[in-house]
Amino acid sequence: SLCKHSPRSSRIEQTCSMASIKLTYFNLTGRAELARMILAYAGVEYTDERIADLSAIKESLPFGQVPILQYNGTVISQSMTICRFLANEFHLAGRTNLERAQADEIVDAFTDIFSKTVSVIFLKDAEEKKKKLEDVHKMIEVQFGKLEQRLVSRGGQFFAGNALTWADIALFAGTDFLTRIGSTAIKDFPRMNDLNNRVGELPNIKKWMQTRPK
């Protein structure tokens, strides 16, 4: 079961009750959605600050960019650092150094896919965009094939440690993002598709998808 009926659940509740959390990003999914999904899964209360304009706060940010996470008064920048910190904080990073490395590997693979896709989404030239999107769809098929092999080699249920980690939530967030370019590649990879569907059925993830800002 993916649900939180495990020692992890009480640890999450203990962490949640102590933390003051604020996540700042645009009113988009983009580079903050994985962090939001980790927070949703953990069932933690936090301020989901969505800004329209970066210019007013840019000078005050550590690297002049969002997302940023304010955690008990400390500011953390860089999207994947934020996600990795939250995964560690809410016991989704893996139980051993090896499991953490396996989860990180998968997240990094999805980050590569995301970066290559984003660079095409914002192209202005329609013809160039069309051609490059074709290349992106091919790239997704190839990378998903490799990720499917990784999943199968680790037992076929989860990407790391035979238990839910942020790598599995990254699959769900990544697949959600890729629907923007009309990608249905996930359906060609049965183990990943099954895992994606199971993550989507987690009560807190399901609730987030139903209630998040459009």
Side-chain angles (χ1 to χ4, degrees), residues 130-142:
K130 184 183 174 188
K131 183 184 181 312
K132 292 208 167 169
L133 272 176
E134 288 171 7
D135 294 339
V136 163
H137 282 291
K138 289 175 189 168
M139 176 272 294
I140 293 166
E141 287 281 343
V142 170

Side-chain angles (χ1 to χ4, degrees), residues 122-171:
F122 294 107
L123 285 175
K124 297 283 188 282
D125 185 286
E127 203 55 44
E128 182 187 11
K129 185 172 181 177
K130 184 183 174 188
K131 183 184 181 312
K132 292 208 167 169
L133 272 176
E134 288 171 7
D135 294 339
V136 163
H137 282 291
K138 289 175 189 168
M139 176 272 294
I140 293 166
E141 287 281 343
V142 170
Q143 294 304 319
F144 272 25
K146 292 174 179 175
L147 284 160
E148 179 88 346
Q149 288 173 352
R150 277 320 232 180
L151 181 56
V152 170
S153 75
R154 293 171 184 174
Q157 294 298 301
F158 302 96
F159 274 119
N162 211 25
L164 184 77
T165 66
W166 70 307
D168 308 307
I169 299 175
L171 162 67

Side-chain angles (χ1 to χ4, degrees), residues 28 70 108 157-158 179 199:
L28 304 166
Q70 295 176 61
D108 286 346
Q157 294 298 301
F158 302 96
T179 59
V199 172

Side-chain angles (χ1 to χ4, degrees), residues 17-30:
S17 65
M18 297 184 293
S20 165
I21 306 170
K22 181 178 180 181
L23 183 67
T24 302
Y25 192 60
F26 303 110
N27 190 24
L28 304 166
T29 53

